[in-house]
Amino acid sequence: MDTTPRWPGDIPNVKRSGLNLIKCVEIGNEFDIWWSKGTEKYLKPSEHAAMLTAVIAAIKRADPKMVVVMGGLTGFDLDYLKGMDAGFKTLGSQWPDVINVHHYSHEGNRAKVWPPTWWNNGACYPEHDQDFITVVEVVAFAKALGRPLWVTEFGAGSSKGPNWMVVDGAKYGLSNEEAQGQLVSKTFRAYKEFGVARSYVFTACDEPGSANGGLWTDCGFMTNEQTGFQDKPAKATIKKLIAEYSEV
């Protein structure tokens, strides 16, 4: 336990256990990083399966009830998932409790083509994403293994850009921020319709220094701390969706 204060007045960490607060744990993040393929940062599917096998065993020894979630893959890469499945079978081990992927809708996405080709300001609604429907096959893959599928990252930026993840609101007759809200709402709905057990938007608030936008930094539905966490149009859209689902 690191008890070193991070800044003046910071409350030091205190070791506590047995509070029954943590229900699940995600093991890493995007080990299939295609932009670092060929380096030690990239795990081959068989290596990913071997790592998870060891980690799952250790976690379950400590807490048999803990839900273990695999680190989200960079996209709907079925070939990578099938490679992991072969790795688990070779080891005689089991998948974690939850299969997890990420996906960002972009006009450059193509069905079952990974990695994608992205260009600036090309984020789009799911119905304009040619690879989005692949999620149906990923859900089926997970279901065949008796596992739920979570999508723990999706979203879009709202600045003028230019960067890959900006959604160009003019294409929809909206501002970029309004279109961001529609993209998030439509994506939540689509994942629910296609059988994704849980989906998470990236991210709640913009990152520091994101006033002028930047890749991934202004994907929040609130502004950053420097500007007082002000609501962006996407927040009202998400709240409306939550209220709608709460009435069902």
Side-chain angles (χ1 to χ4, degrees), residues 30 32-37 39 41-42 74 115:
E30 296 187 346
D32 65 324
I33 44 177
W34 44 268
W35 54 92
S36 295
K37 196 169 184 177
T39 74
K41 295 179 181 180
Y42 176 88
T74 57

Side-chain angles (χ1 to χ4, degrees), residues 148-195:
L149 177 71
W150 291 6
V151 178
T152 56
E153 278 190 35
F154 76 88
S158 59
S159 71
K160 294 181 180 179
N163 69 65
W164 289 346
M165 283 300 115
V166 169
V167 55
D168 186 354
K171 296 177 182 178
Y172 305 105
L174 304 170
S175 69
N176 287 7
E177 290 191 341
E178 290 170 333
Q180 178 201 25
Q182 290 300 313
L183 185 154
V184 169
S185 178
K186 285 173 173 283
T187 304
F188 271 129
R189 291 177 185 276
Y191 283 144
K192 181 177 176 60
E193 177 184 351
F194 291 144

Side-chain angles (χ1 to χ4, degrees), residues 29-94:
N29 180 66
E30 296 187 346
F31 288 118
D32 65 324
I33 44 177
W34 44 268
W35 54 92
S36 295
K37 196 169 184 177
T39 74
E40 63 182 11
K41 295 179 181 180
Y42 176 88
L43 289 187
K44 298 176 182 178
S46 58
E47 294 171 336
H48 198 168
M51 181 273 291
L52 282 173
T53 296
V55 172
I56 292 168
I59 291 173
K60 295 295 186 178
R61 280 198 300 271
D63 185 351
K65 295 182 180 180
M66 182 63 65
V67 175
V68 181
V69 184
M70 66 175 276
L73 299 186
T74 57
F76 299 149
D77 192 343
L78 278 166
D79 288 340
Y80 190 96
L81 287 169
K82 291 175 181 177
M84 288 183 66
D85 192 46
F88 283 121
K89 289 177 179 176
T90 298
L91 294 168
S93 55
Q94 298 293 319

Side-chain angles (χ1 to χ4, degrees), residues 51-246:
M51 181 273 291
L52 282 173
T53 296
V55 172
I56 292 168
I59 291 173
K60 295 295 186 178
R61 280 198 300 271
D63 185 351
K65 295 182 180 180
M66 182 63 65
V67 175
V68 181
V69 184
M70 66 175 276
L73 299 186
T74 57
F76 299 149
D77 192 343
L78 278 166
D79 288 340
Y80 190 96
L81 287 169
K82 291 175 181 177
M84 288 183 66
D85 192 46
F88 283 121
K89 289 177 179 176
T90 298
L91 294 168
S93 55
Q94 298 293 319
W95 279 84
D97 301 305
V98 177
I99 294 176
N100 180 17
V101 297
H102 300 161
H103 186 80
Y104 289 87
S105 288
H106 194 284
E107 293 174 355
N109 291 344
R110 298 292 180 265
K112 301 179 184 178
V113 175
W114 202 255
T117 299
W118 287 342
W119 52 79
N120 287 338
N121 297 32
C124 64
Y125 293 170
E127 60 264 34
H128 301 142
D129 171 0
Q130 294 185 33
D131 190 37
F132 194 86
I133 195 62
T134 304
V135 72
V136 174
E137 295 183 46
V138 183
V139 168
F141 176 86
K143 185 176 181 180
L145 295 169
R147 301 292 192 272
L149 177 71
W150 291 6
V151 178
T152 56
E153 278 190 35
F154 76 88
S158 59
S159 71
K160 294 181 180 179
N163 69 65
W164 289 346
M165 283 300 115
V166 169
V167 55
D168 186 354
K171 296 177 182 178
Y172 305 105
L174 304 170
S175 69
N176 287 7
E177 290 191 341
E178 290 170 333
Q180 178 201 25
Q182 290 300 313
L183 185 154
V184 169
S185 178
K186 285 173 173 283
T187 304
F188 271 129
R189 291 177 185 276
Y191 283 144
K192 181 177 176 60
E193 177 184 351
F194 291 144
V196 173
R198 291 191 187 183
S199 55
Y200 296 79
V201 64
F202 180 88
T203 179
C205 55
D206 291 347
E207 295 182 11
S210 60
N212 297 320
L215 185 60
W216 313 116
T217 66
D218 68 336
C219 290
F221 47 87
M222 293 182 289
T223 63
N224 58 30
E225 184 177 11
Q226 294 166 312
T227 51
F229 298 119
Q230 298 176 31
D231 290 354
K232 295 161 67 173
K235 184 174 180 180
T237 305
I238 293 170
K239 288 178 69 174
K240 182 178 179 180
L241 182 67
I242 292 172
E244 177 184 327
Y245 282 149
S246 298

